Structures are given as structure tokens and as C-alpha cells.
């Protein structure tokens, strides 16, 4: 786990769910999602991130590609 994500978990105490309501599991761990995308110069910071689990994170990126 990267240090920014670890800091966010400590700050926000998400209680085993992500901001989309998905449960944290061994097969569905927390990941960091950029609000402003990396390719648009979005930094990997607490302010520019969201705590999201792996499965909906993949789905969210698929939706972003379609749009």
C-alpha cells in the first residue's frame, strides 16, 4: 500500500467500505483513485484522491474510457 493511501485511510477511517459503498475484502483491497487524472497533471496527494476498492475502481476507469 502506498503512503498517500495509508495516510488517507488513517485520516478518513473508512470502516471497511470505500466512498462508493463497496466492502473491503482480501480480494477487493483499497486502491487510490485520482480525482484529477495523472495525464492531466493530477498529483498523487490526499486532496486529489479517493479511497476506492479494486473492483469498482476498475469499473470506474471503464466508464471514464467510454465517456
Amino acid at each position: 500500500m502506498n503512503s498517500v493511501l495509508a495516510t488517507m485511510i488513517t485520516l478518513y477511517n473508512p470502516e471497511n467500505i470505500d466512498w462508493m459503498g463497496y466492502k473491503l475484502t482480501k480480494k477487493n483491497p483499497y486502491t487510490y483513485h485520482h480525482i484529477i487524472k495523472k495525464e492531466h497533471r493530477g498529483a498523487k496527494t490526499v486532496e486529489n484522491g479517493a479511497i476506492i476498492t479494486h473492483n469498482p475502481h476498475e469499473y470506474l476507469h471503464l466508464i471514464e474510457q467510454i465517456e
Side-chain angles (χ1 to χ4, degrees):
M1 179 181 311
N2 70 63
S3 63
V4 175
L5 180 58
T7 299
M8 291 174 71
I9 291 168
T10 300
L11 288 172
Y12 300 123
N13 189 22
E15 298 184 11
N16 296 326
I17 59 169
D18 65 16
W19 67 274
M20 293 177 68
Y22 287 85
K23 287 189 174 192
L24 172 71
T25 66
K26 284 186 178 186
K27 292 184 179 181
N28 193 35
Y30 285 136
T31 60
Y32 176 91
H33 178 71
H34 285 84
I35 304 300
I36 299 172
K37 296 178 183 181
K38 289 186 285 189
E39 54 267 20
H40 296 152
R41 297 185 176 248
K44 192 170 193 174
T45 62
V46 170
E47 298 80 15
N48 189 44
I51 300 170
I52 189 167
T53 54
H54 176 76
N55 294 341
H57 195 181
E58 293 292 317
Y59 183 64
L60 182 59
H61 281 285
L62 178 64
I63 292 170
E64 289 174 342
Q65 287 178 350
I66 293 170
E67 291 181 350

